[in-house]
């Protein structure tokens, strides 16, 4: 199960890379279309949608690679146990935040599907689809936060064991 969870960020990052490729392709087609006098409708909207997909699908990957913004100036000087506690607190807080945002967007998706039924202006993409993308992104990030807690606990336990054996 842990191995499957460890692959999720890599899989979601692949979707982000596909989104970036589509963004580049649509931008090139839009520019070429304007140059030859045949502008493409909806290219800006499609790039914006792909940007949302890119951001949401790469959140968990950034967490898995510890690429999120961190302030290590003070924390790096603390004892290892304090660093461990702060890391766990950070991952738990991230997990809870992701669940809250995902839940809020699930409620909003339901409202969008059943009440307002709005769509994008040019392409007519239903907005609930975009909200589902946000839910998926935050759920994947929450799962990765749990994975980081497990990984951090394992590495801390291993370090403590090695410290006792050597000491």
């Amino acid at each position: 199960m842990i191995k499957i969870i460890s692959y999720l960020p890599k899989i979601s990052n692949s979707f982000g890379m596909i989104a970036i490729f589509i963004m580049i392709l649509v931008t090139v087609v839009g520019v070429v279309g304007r140059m030859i006098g045949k502008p493409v409708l909806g290219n800006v909207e499609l790039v914006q949608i792909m940007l949302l997909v890119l951001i949401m699908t790469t959140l968990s990957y950034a967490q898995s690679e510890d690429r999120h913004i961190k302030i290590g100036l003070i924390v790096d000087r603390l004892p290892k146990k304090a660093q461990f506690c702060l890391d766990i607190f950070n991952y738990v807080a991230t997990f809870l935040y992701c669940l809250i945002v995902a839940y809020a967007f699930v409620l909003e998706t339901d409202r969008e599907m059943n009440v307002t039924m709005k769509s994008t202006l040019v392409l007519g993409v239903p907005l609930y689809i975009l909200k589902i993308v946000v839910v998926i992104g935050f759920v994947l990030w929450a799962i990765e936060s749990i994975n980081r807690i497990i990984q951090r606990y394992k590495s801390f336990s291993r370090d403590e064991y090695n410290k006792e054996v050597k000491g």
Side-chain angles (χ1 to χ4, degrees), residues 45-64:
E45 197 171 274
L46 187 56
V47 168
Q48 291 171 341
I49 290 169
M50 288 298 108
L51 182 60
L52 174 73
V53 171
L54 170 67
I55 293 168
M56 289 298 114
T57 56
T58 55
L59 286 172
S60 65
Y61 180 75
Q63 180 77 55
S64 73

Side-chain angles (χ1 to χ4, degrees), residues 19-36:
I20 232 173
F21 177 74
I22 292 171
M23 288 170 66
I24 292 168
L25 190 63
V26 168
T27 302
V28 168
V29 168
V31 168
V32 170
R34 266 187 259 132
M35 285 174 53
I36 63 172

Side-chain angles (χ1 to χ4, degrees), residues 5-17 54-68 137 140-145 147-148:
I5 291 173
S6 295
Y7 285 119
L8 284 177
K10 291 176 180 70
I11 294 168
S12 67
N13 190 48
S14 299
F15 283 104
M17 296 304 108
L54 170 67
I55 293 168
M56 289 298 114
T57 56
T58 55
L59 286 172
S60 65
Y61 180 75
Q63 180 77 55
S64 73
E65 298 289 317
D66 276 334
R67 299 281 188 214
H68 286 287
L140 288 172
W141 192 7
I143 291 170
E144 183 54 32
S145 294
N147 186 38
R148 299 305 294 172

